[in-house]
Amino acid sequence: MLEKNLKVCLLNDSFPPAIDGVANAVVNYANLIHENGGEVIVGTPKYPGVEDHCPYPVVRYRSLDTTKIVGYRAGYPFSVRTMERLESFGPNIIHSHCPVMSNILARLLRDRIDVPIVFTYHTKFDIEIARAIEGKLLQSAAARMLVDNIEACDEVWVVSRGAGENLRNLGYKGDYVVMENGVDFPKGAVEKERAAALRKELGIGQETPVYLFVGRMMWYKGIRIILEALDRYRRSGADFRMIFVGDGADREEIEALAAQLQLTDRCLFPGAVRDRELLRVYFSMADLFLFPSTFDTNGIVVREAAACGLGSVLIRGSCAAEGIEGGRTGLLIEENSESLYVLLQQVGDNRQVLRMIGENAMNEIYISWEDSVQRACERYQIVQENYRRGLTDRRFEISDELLGVIGNLCSGIAYARSLRENYKQRKEQRRQ
């Protein structure tokens, strides 16, 4: 059970229907805080035609379509009505999961209700910045603004040590706390009959080795390494099927390269799988999870695979490989297709070895969301106490004053609106 008076405002630019690791984290924070006696509200950008049916309030605010750039919509945080709804909830802690618009909204809200902000750094934003902005000077300026926004928070969490180092490389100078994300899958594979049924549905023989990727279909996830390695593996005479579960801006180009490499009959692209139970079946029916990404800071999908007894192939030294013992709880390669090809030649069809690695991963690296969120909620109490005592790590910048002015302006508009409504009500009463 959580602290009785815990009231958390969770802010993030990605939330269902957007599917990514950060959206998954926010959903699990919200669900578990709600289920365990706390109160929660989520603030996130609007999506056309989307209606929320969560057991807790979800406040949607105006947004811009940036899905082709970053995979989700970017919110516009300067909405008076949004601020009124979040303020009326009365949170005693704000937890932001996005360092741009969500963090600006968090700072505006803090200026009005005087409670601390926790920020979690999930994603390598130097890569996101390089993808979205051309020119070194503009990229440097964007990184500085992002770091200023993060340093204005009262405590900073990172999902791995590697994520913390990446944040330092951006110029962040404050302290941080490592707070690992969890997995919402129970420990253990699905029934063999369900896994066999999915293989049959996909037209895959029960003895054919199956390799799996789950994530956004973006080149920076290491997908080119997978395709080029599988091209050589196919030409060596190996039989296999490769399943890419996910969607994203680069999907069309990825499928085109698969066709160019004559892998169309070996690769399946079912798209994003939103049914979590069906996704468990995909993990459970595969023999090896291929995730050669140096972009991801934590790699929730690696733990999801482990929950189902599926071992992963990861880049040595990457954040996703933190805590992985090569040859025991996972398989480690260099960041190139040659290294992956050699590994597949060695163990790609050795189910006994792959099964042992998957079982070790399930027993040794699995982290439940229940444990992760419980630890986070215990840390919330420390953050609140440090805030009351003036011990938070926040740096005050000129932007704090600017956002304070905007916050006061929002308050003034809200006050003017309430006066207008009162005037209308009194006028109507006089008419009656």
Side-chain angles (χ1 to χ4, degrees):
M1 294 295 291
L2 305 180
E3 183 184 2
K4 288 184 178 180
N5 65 344
L6 181 64
K7 301 186 72 173
V8 185
C9 175
L10 296 171
L11 302 174
N12 190 44
D13 277 18
S14 64
F15 191 75
I19 297 178
D20 60 21
V22 189
N24 179 276
V26 174
V27 167
N28 279 283
Y29 265 85
N31 287 343
L32 288 166
I33 291 170
H34 172 78
E35 291 168 8
N36 287 280
E39 295 183 61
V40 65
I41 189 170
V42 174
T44 194
K46 285 182 180 177
Y47 273 71
V50 169
E51 294 184 7
D52 296 293
H53 301 284
C54 302
Y56 43 81
V58 177
V59 178
R60 296 276 182 176
Y61 53 94
R62 193 164 39 146
S63 65
L64 303 173
D65 188 358
T66 55
T67 52
K68 291 185 178 180
I69 301 174
V70 295
Y72 49 82
R73 297 181 72 92
Y76 177 78
F78 305 107
S79 163
V80 174
R81 291 191 183 276
T82 299
M83 194 65 61
E84 288 174 341
R85 292 183 65 187
L86 296 177
E87 183 178 4
S88 65
F89 174 76
N92 49 35
I93 195 157
I94 305 165
H95 190 169
S96 170
H97 293 260
C98 177
V100 192
M101 297 307 183
S102 292
N103 242 26
I104 291 174
L105 179 57
R107 294 169 64 186
L108 287 167
L109 183 60
R110 178 181 60 190
D111 190 71
R112 293 179 63 153
I113 63 177
D114 193 26
V115 301
I117 300 172
V118 171
F119 166 72
T120 296
Y121 186 71
H122 292 269
T123 304
K124 290 186 175 179
F125 268 85
D126 53 345
I127 297 177
E128 295 279 21
I129 289 170
R131 179 179 174 83
I133 301 173
E134 294 184 3
K136 294 295 184 182
L137 286 177
L138 288 176
Q139 289 174 6
S140 178
R144 185 63 257 168
M145 291 176 62
L146 182 140
V147 169
D148 284 349
N149 215 19
I150 294 172
E151 289 181 338
C153 297
D154 299 287
E155 183 164 283
V156 174
W157 296 352
V158 297
V159 294
S160 65
R161 293 187 302 277
E165 290 308 305
N166 178 260
L167 184 53
R168 290 259 189 262
N169 291 337
L170 280 172
Y172 175 76
K173 296 181 174 60
D175 295 330
Y176 59 74
V177 174
V178 177
M179 193 70 66
E180 292 181 313
N181 288 330
V183 173
D184 60 359
F185 288 171
K187 186 183 289 188
V190 304
E191 298 83 356
K192 291 181 179 179
E193 293 77 13
R194 294 173 63 195
L198 181 58
R199 275 180 173 259
K200 184 177 181 180
E201 179 183 332
L202 297 173
I204 303 173
Q206 298 301 320
E207 300 304 316
T208 303
V210 173
Y211 311 132
L212 178 68
F213 169 90
V214 177
R216 279 192 285 168
M217 299 296 286
M218 309 291 279
W219 285 122
Y220 57 60
K221 293 278 191 173
I223 295 175
R224 189 180 300 276
I225 290 175
I226 295 175
L227 291 174
E228 291 179 351
L230 293 180
D231 173 43
R232 291 192 60 186
Y233 197 41
R234 174 191 63 80
R235 288 188 281 114
S236 75
D239 186 25
F240 63 87
R241 293 296 182 273
M242 177 72 214
I243 304 176
F244 291 94
V245 173
D247 211 342
D250 296 333
R251 178 177 172 179
E252 186 176 336
E253 292 182 10
I254 290 167
E255 292 194 37
L257 179 59
Q260 180 185 329
L261 296 174
Q262 300 180 36
L263 289 169
T264 302
D265 61 335
R266 306 291 184 94
C267 293
L268 290 80
F269 296 88
V273 175
R274 291 175 168 80
D275 184 330
R276 300 292 291 167
E277 194 57 30
L278 176 57
L279 188 58
R280 279 188 70 213
V281 183
Y282 272 98
F283 278 116
S284 299
M285 60 90 78
D287 296 290
L288 193 59
F289 186 61
L290 306 185
F291 199 66
S293 171
T294 56
F295 170 79
D296 290 75
T297 54
N298 182 243
I300 292 176
V301 285
V302 175
R303 265 68 184 176
E304 290 176 344
C308 301
L310 180 64
S312 298
V313 177
L314 307 163
I315 301 298
R316 184 176 284 105
S318 67
C319 292
E322 277 190 24
I324 302 296
E325 183 181 346
R328 177 171 177 79
T329 55
L331 296 165
L332 304 178
I333 62 171
E334 302 304 318
E335 194 177 0
N336 58 67
S337 59
E338 170 71 17
S339 186
L340 177 55
Y341 165 68
V342 169
L343 179 106
L344 292 175
Q345 285 277 61
Q346 293 171 343
V347 300
D349 60 354
N350 192 329
R351 282 184 165 168
Q352 183 177 354
V353 170
L354 299 181
R355 192 177 299 114
M356 177 195 70
I357 291 172
E359 289 178 358
N360 290 339
M362 181 172 60
N363 293 325
E364 297 177 28
I365 72 167
Y366 174 85
I367 303 172
S368 72
W369 268 118
E370 286 80 4
D371 290 342
S372 179
V373 173
Q374 179 63 42
R375 182 176 172 232
C377 289
E378 290 169 359
R379 186 69 197 180
Y380 284 156
Q381 298 179 45
I382 296 173
V383 174
Q384 290 171 319
E385 180 60 24
N386 287 342
Y387 186 81
R388 283 191 288 266
R389 297 172 60 191
L391 301 177
T392 57
D393 195 41
R394 173 168 31 131
R395 283 178 53 188
F396 291 86
E397 304 285 346
I398 294 175
S399 58
D400 286 315
E401 296 181 10
L402 175 60
L403 289 177
V405 170
I406 295 172
N408 290 334
L409 178 61
C410 290
S411 298
I413 294 172
Y415 180 65
R417 179 181 292 145
S418 68
L419 290 177
R420 184 180 63 186
E421 292 301 320
N422 289 336
Y423 173 75
K424 287 181 179 178
Q425 290 176 6
R426 290 197 302 271
K427 189 175 181 181
E428 185 64 28
Q429 288 171 356
R430 284 197 297 270
R431 285 178 178 173
Q432 295 174 354

